[in-house]
Every structure is written in C-alpha cells, then in structure tokens.
Amino acid sequence: MCDHTFANQLKEWRHYLHMYPETAFEEKITSAFIAERLSAMGLEVHTKIGGTGVVASLKAGDGNEVVGLRADMDCIYINETTGLPYQSKHAGKMHACGHDGHVVTLLGAAMLLCERKNFNGTVRFIFQPAEEPGTGAPAMLADGLLERFPMDEIYGFHNMPSFPAGTAHMRTGGIMASEDNFVIGIKGKGSHASAPHLSIDPLVTAAEIILALQTIVSRSLSPALSGVVSCTEIFTDGAHNAIPTNAKILGDTRSFDPQVQALIETKMREISESICRMNGAECEFKYTHEFTPTINWEKCVNVAAMAARKVLGAENVDANCAPWMGSEDFGAFLQEIPGCYFFLGTGEHENPADNIPPHNSAYDYNDDMLETGAQLFAELVATRLK
C-alpha cells in the first residue's frame, strides 16, 4: 500500500467525519460510514451494538487469542470557530475532542491488518458511541459486547496535543481518573437584605461549605495519593436586595483509587450536613458516580510500549507517564478484561502552550498522526498475536 495514498485516504475520511459530527447515541451518519468502509474491506460488520456502536472482526492463522481495538465516535456540543473548509455543518456540534481522528485511525489499522494479516488470532475493531457522557462503554457491555464478541484484551488511545507529535505515553495502574458529580442543596430562610438577623442565610452556609471542602484533599488525603474536589457552579433564588431561601452547589471530584473515591464522598457528606446543621439550614446531598477510573494492566502496557517503540522509536515512548485527572469510560472495559489505554502525542508546536487543546472551539486533529496511529495499532496486534 502506498503510504502517500494511504495517508491521503485517511485525511479525506477524517475531514468528512469532521463535517458531520454527532453527539452521544446519535452517531448514525458516523456508524454508517464506518460500517460501509469495513464492509468494503471484506469484514463481517455488526451494527447497533449498545445503540450506535459498530464491531467487526478479522481472523488470521489458527490462533485462539482475541485482541480488541477501540475508538470512540461522538462529538461535543460546541460551535466550531476554526474556519476550515471542512468545518462542522451541524450547528452547535463539533469534533473538538478528536474522535473523528480516533475513528479514522482505527479504520486505517483495519486496512493495514486486512492487507498484512501478519498475526495469529483474531482482532476486533470496536467503534464506541457516547464516550463524552461516559455511557457508551457501559451501554456496549450491557448489550452483550463481551459475550457476543469475546476478547482476551482491549486497547484504546486518545490524542494529546500537549505531547509532541509522534510520541506515545502510558503507565501501569491509574492513567485517567474517576469522575463523580455532586449537588449540595441548602435550604435556609430568606429575608430582606437589610434584616439578615431574620434569615437563615444559605449563601453564607454555602460559602462555608465550599471552603471546608478544600480541606478534604489537603488534610484528609495522604500526600502520596491523588484527588480533586472542584465546586464549579452555585445557584440561589435570591436577588440583589433579598437573602435567598435556597442555594445549590454543583461540582465534581476526581480520583484513581476506589478507597480515595469513597473517602471523598464520605467527607463531603459529613462536612455539608454538619455545616448546614450548625447554621440551622437543611441539607440535601447528592453524589453520583459518572466515570470509573481507567486502570491499565501491566502486561498490556508492556505490549503497547513494545509496539510503540517499534513504530515511533524508543526515545519517543514513555511507559511510565504521569496520570491525567481527566476521565474516560474506557475504564469500564478494563474492569472486565485486561487492557491498556495510552496517549498519542499530536502536538505540532514545540511549546505545549502553543497547541490548541481538545474541547476548544478552534481545535483540529493533527492529520499527520492518522497514519502513525494506524501503524501503531496494527503493530500492537502483530506484537500481541504472534
């Protein structure tokens, strides 16, 4: 296969998908595009897995082991401002996280593996919906993904503009954090702003809670462990001259360890309820688990690192990178079967600050990394299924 022709094909596909971004569980154009390309490669394609997910399999040799490769498909709600010729045609929706690049990278890997068949076993190509809200991987699992398409291991990646293009970064253990959301409702007693003594001020109570929550990580969590507690929104039903009756604090927490996750939730509940009680206010505390932490398996990290060194060069592979506090629902797969999630550097500028990050309206995937990612995925399969 001519590399120039191959690279151009991937670029053309990516630009098409970039023009037609689709949000969680609405990826109908995307999944149809994927299914058509996989079918043209001669693969048996299964659609509507976990909603709009697509799975295809390729077998070579007589090996019994099965490796899965996963790419996410959905976009986010944001108005694109790139001004590119292939800018989003769907108002308010944009591939600002690079999932268009992930999809095409996996399609490219499928093309390479169909051509080479330099492995002994089966590879499954998994195109997952709804990563952004964290519900796509659980939906595919609930729809019998592992029962219908058994796998021994699974691998996935995310583009990372903050790392130099052509580098790979991974680690054993927690590489991406859990995400838990919380809502703290405070019911006090409103009054005129000129008569605060007649009120039970929920806004002052909220302020005390917000400050006290900051002590969880600094004073209740071991410095050797990681955790984040972020209050991101506050709402009241007051006015400039009226002390409100109700206040509501929203936010999220991040951690890598289930014990840390439980400690944060317990301490948050205790702090919120205690401060409300001290001030004579009522407290309603809601805490939900949105994303499980992404915990890599050591044996799979070793495979991914070995493949990455072959494709990128040993000097461009970090097999013990720092964990990232972002969240990714790939962790749901890793609770069921071994696997590895890694970062592919896509930064075009030497200074990381000069590269536009994901979830920015001016972000665009680095097309030069499409073939690189495809080669890496293909080499990973060849390395694992010898």
Side-chain angles (χ1 to χ4, degrees):
M1 181 181 295
C2 173
D3 287 348
H4 179 69
T5 301
F6 179 54
N8 284 343
Q9 178 68 89
L10 298 186
K11 182 178 178 180
E12 178 184 317
W13 285 352
R14 212 269 305 172
H15 290 186
Y16 174 82
L17 291 176
H18 192 86
M19 287 192 290
Y20 301 102
E22 297 169 296
T23 49
F25 296 119
E26 296 179 349
E27 307 96 339
K28 295 181 180 179
I29 295 173
T30 306
S31 59
F33 179 92
I34 291 166
E36 183 179 333
R37 270 64 193 172
L38 292 172
S39 296
M41 297 177 203
L43 300 176
E44 181 178 346
V45 181
H46 300 265
T47 60
K48 300 181 180 179
I49 312 298
T52 49
V54 180
V55 177
S57 302
L58 173 65
K59 183 175 176 59
D62 57 4
N64 295 320
E65 293 188 294
V66 184
V67 167
L69 302 177
R70 173 271 204 173
D72 38 14
M73 305 187 295
D74 57 325
C75 74
I76 63 174
Y77 288 103
I78 191 170
N79 283 306
E80 183 167 353
T81 61
T82 62
L84 293 165
Y86 50 89
Q87 179 167 304
S88 171
K89 294 182 179 295
H90 292 170
K93 299 180 181 182
M94 176 190 175
H95 269 302
C97 204
H99 294 182
D100 52 344
H102 298 174
V103 166
V104 172
T105 294
L106 186 50
L107 285 174
M111 291 177 69
L112 294 173
L113 289 167
C114 283
E115 180 184 72
R116 296 171 180 172
K117 294 185 178 176
N118 59 342
F119 60 95
N120 187 30
T122 301
V123 57
R124 304 210 193 276
F125 306 102
I126 303 156
F127 296 85
Q128 180 208 302
E131 184 280 326
E132 290 295 342
T135 50
M140 293 191 85
L141 290 169
D143 199 19
L145 174 71
L146 297 181
E147 292 75 25
R148 298 163 65 183
F149 311 98
M151 287 171 270
D152 296 297
E153 296 170 13
I154 189 168
Y155 297 83
F157 83 99
H158 202 289
N159 74 96
M160 195 63 76
S162 58
F163 290 137
T167 61
H169 308 260
M170 62 205 73
R171 64 179 282 111
T172 298
I175 190 167
M176 296 188 76
S178 63
E179 179 189 338
D180 297 340
N181 293 169
F182 62 85
V183 179
I184 304 168
I186 305 160
K187 183 178 181 180
K189 178 183 177 183
S191 74
H192 197 282
S194 66
H197 62 292
L198 300 178
S199 75
I200 298 175
D201 193 333
L203 197 52
V204 170
T205 301
E208 291 183 51
I209 291 172
I210 290 170
L211 289 175
L213 293 179
Q214 307 314 305
T215 66
I216 296 174
V217 173
S218 65
R219 288 297 176 267
S220 296
L221 187 62
S222 166
L225 300 173
S226 298
V228 173
V229 177
S230 293
C231 298
T232 56
E233 298 179 278
I234 185 166
F235 301 95
T236 78
D237 57 1
H240 76 281
N241 62 348
I243 293 174
T245 294
N246 298 288
K248 188 176 291 186
I249 306 166
L250 285 73
D252 77 20
T253 75
R254 311 280 172 142
S255 59
F256 296 102
D257 188 311
Q259 291 183 330
V260 172
Q261 195 175 16
L263 180 146
I264 290 174
E265 179 178 0
T266 298
K267 295 297 291 185
M268 287 188 69
R269 184 183 299 276
E270 291 174 349
I271 288 171
S272 301
E273 292 179 348
S274 297
I275 290 177
C276 283
R277 186 163 53 249
M278 178 182 69
N279 288 323
E282 298 178 23
C283 179
E284 182 181 13
F285 183 84
K286 295 181 180 179
Y287 194 96
T288 58
H289 303 279
E290 306 297 327
F291 287 81
T292 185
T294 302
I295 310 295
N296 281 337
W297 293 58
E298 182 177 9
K299 66 177 184 178
C300 301
V301 170
N302 293 337
V303 170
M306 188 182 304
R309 292 184 187 110
K310 291 178 183 178
V311 174
L312 306 174
E315 70 280 7
N316 292 315
V317 179
D318 181 359
N320 190 28
C321 71
W324 189 43
M325 276 294 177
S327 300
E328 159 67 63
D329 71 356
F330 190 82
F333 296 131
L334 298 183
Q335 289 186 321
E336 303 295 329
I337 57 174
C340 173
Y341 191 78
F342 61 92
F343 301 127
L344 177 64
T346 55
E348 300 177 67
H349 303 286
E350 184 175 348
N351 182 357
D354 293 334
N355 294 303
I356 297 172
H359 289 222
N360 183 299
S361 64
Y363 169 85
D364 188 38
Y365 198 92
N366 183 351
D367 284 328
D368 292 340
M369 291 298 101
L370 294 171
E371 181 179 0
T372 299
Q375 296 283 2
L376 177 50
F377 256 163
E379 183 58 43
L380 194 159
V381 171
T383 298
R384 175 62 182 83
L385 299 177
K386 291 183 179 180

